[in-house]
Amino acid sequence: MKRRKILVGNWKCHKSFDEAITLIAEIVANVPLELDRTVVLCPPFPYLAEAVRRTRESPVKIGAQNVWQEDSGAFTGEVSAPMLASLGVEYAIVGHSERRQFFLESDECLARKVARALAWNLTPIFCLGERWEDREAGQTLAVVQRQFQAVFALSAETTTSLVIAYEPVWAIGTGRNATPEQAEEVHAILRGLAMERWGSAVGEAIRILYGGSVKASNIDTLMAMPNLDGALIGGASLSAAEFLRIVHFQG
Ligand code: PGA
């Protein structure tokens, strides 16, 4: 099955507003309308409204880096799915390993975030991945399976727009990416789990991105793997030239 590839730039906590606007302009100018892949930029929250405005005439989509697990209420500092939807934001990263590590986000809270995003027609990019000590202990599959099962309560119908991002924690920001074969092994297993849970049509259609030290120099070999449907790019998405080379990967 041909799945449309998705390239997502996760800017994390980087860039001033002016720098962000410049980066958006450089990317928009170099992503043609007829491109056969989806490009998503995830700037910090305060820049989202302007980012949506500046990408409106282009195929570039805008995503948030996080979303709150309730629609509204007394939750100082949080931003909810209906708020993002009201801005024209179309994607939301959920459960990035930095959120799990520094903000102690649990499987249960992440399941709620995914459900709220889907309820408001935001496409959740649900991140999971093992730490180095898990891999060394032979626990990679057990860890990613447990993390994935957090969203197994979702029905098959709601799951069609779910995007998974496999991001081994040891590969994030380290310059040490998983090899294409290491990533493919986990992606194939995740797809198998999705098929078991939601049936073969959903399992075949679900997009599974790879993240962790993706660069212009390794994107082509990663994207050549049959179960890698795109990439979540951190550091390399902060430079227009590097990110555009990734977007225009060969294949
Ligand atoms: P990196 O980050 O590309 O800088 O490794 C990826 C991510 O955290 O999404």
Side-chain angles (χ1 to χ4, degrees):
M1 179 182 184
K2 185 106 177 82
R3 289 176 293 269
R4 188 180 165 92
K5 297 261 199 300
I6 312 181
L7 291 310
V8 184
N10 172 13
W11 295 2
K12 309 192 181 183
C13 189
H14 291 290
K15 302 277 179 198
S16 69
F17 180 66
D18 288 348
E19 289 166 349
I21 295 305
T22 303
L23 184 52
I24 290 167
E26 288 169 341
I27 292 168
V28 162
N30 288 285
V31 175
L33 269 175
E34 67 278 9
L35 193 71
D36 64 347
R37 40 199 84 162
T38 300
V39 179
V40 183
L41 303 179
C42 300
F45 278 136
Y47 310 159
L48 288 173
E50 190 62 17
V52 168
R53 203 174 71 74
R54 294 193 181 238
T55 51
R56 202 163 272 148
E57 308 296 321
S58 93
V60 174
K61 309 282 186 197
I62 297 300
Q65 297 174 19
N66 183 26
V67 60
W68 181 235
Q69 67 194 45
E70 306 283 346
D71 286 351
S72 64
F75 304 107
T76 302
E78 290 298 337
V79 177
S80 70
M83 293 174 186
L84 295 171
S86 74
L87 291 177
V89 169
E90 293 179 69
Y91 289 77
I93 299 173
V94 176
H96 189 280
S97 70
E98 288 148 19
R99 302 286 324 167
R100 294 177 188 262
Q101 183 184 345
F102 301 124
F103 304 94
L104 309 180
E105 294 190 353
S106 64
D107 289 339
E108 191 201 357
C109 123
L110 297 176
R112 294 172 67 166
K113 290 183 171 203
V114 167
R116 293 332 298 151
L118 286 168
W120 288 93
N121 288 326
L122 296 171
T123 298
I125 302 169
F126 180 57
C127 304
L128 41 78
E130 82 287 2
R131 298 165 308 161
W132 182 249
E133 44 279 35
D134 301 323
R135 181 163 277 268
E136 286 217 303
Q139 292 299 306
T140 298
L141 302 181
V143 169
V144 297
Q145 181 165 8
R146 193 209 75 226
Q147 292 173 329
F148 196 14
Q149 279 169 345
V151 296
F152 274 16
L154 296 171
S155 68
E157 301 81 69
T158 47
T159 309
T160 41
S161 76
L162 178 68
V163 174
I164 304 296
Y166 168 58
E167 298 206 302
V169 179
W170 48 270
I172 296 176
T174 58
R176 175 168 160 234
N177 61 290
T179 64
E181 293 74 21
Q182 281 173 325
E184 172 63 20
E185 183 190 13
V186 177
H187 283 229
I189 287 164
L190 291 171
R191 191 173 308 288
L193 291 169
M195 282 184 184
E196 270 173 39
R197 169 60 189 92
W198 292 297
S200 56
V202 172
E204 275 295 329
I206 202 164
R207 259 86 55 90
I208 308 176
L209 317 184
Y210 168 77
S213 296
V214 172
K215 303 181 273 273
S217 58
N218 59 24
I219 186 71
D220 295 347
T221 48
L222 285 163
M223 291 302 103
M225 292 289 138
N227 283 296
L228 271 65
D229 306 318
L232 182 50
I233 304 122
S237 72
L238 298 173
S239 142
E242 178 85 2
F243 184 66
L244 286 163
R245 169 64 186 84
I246 293 170
V247 164
H248 295 290
F249 71 88
Q250 308 294 310

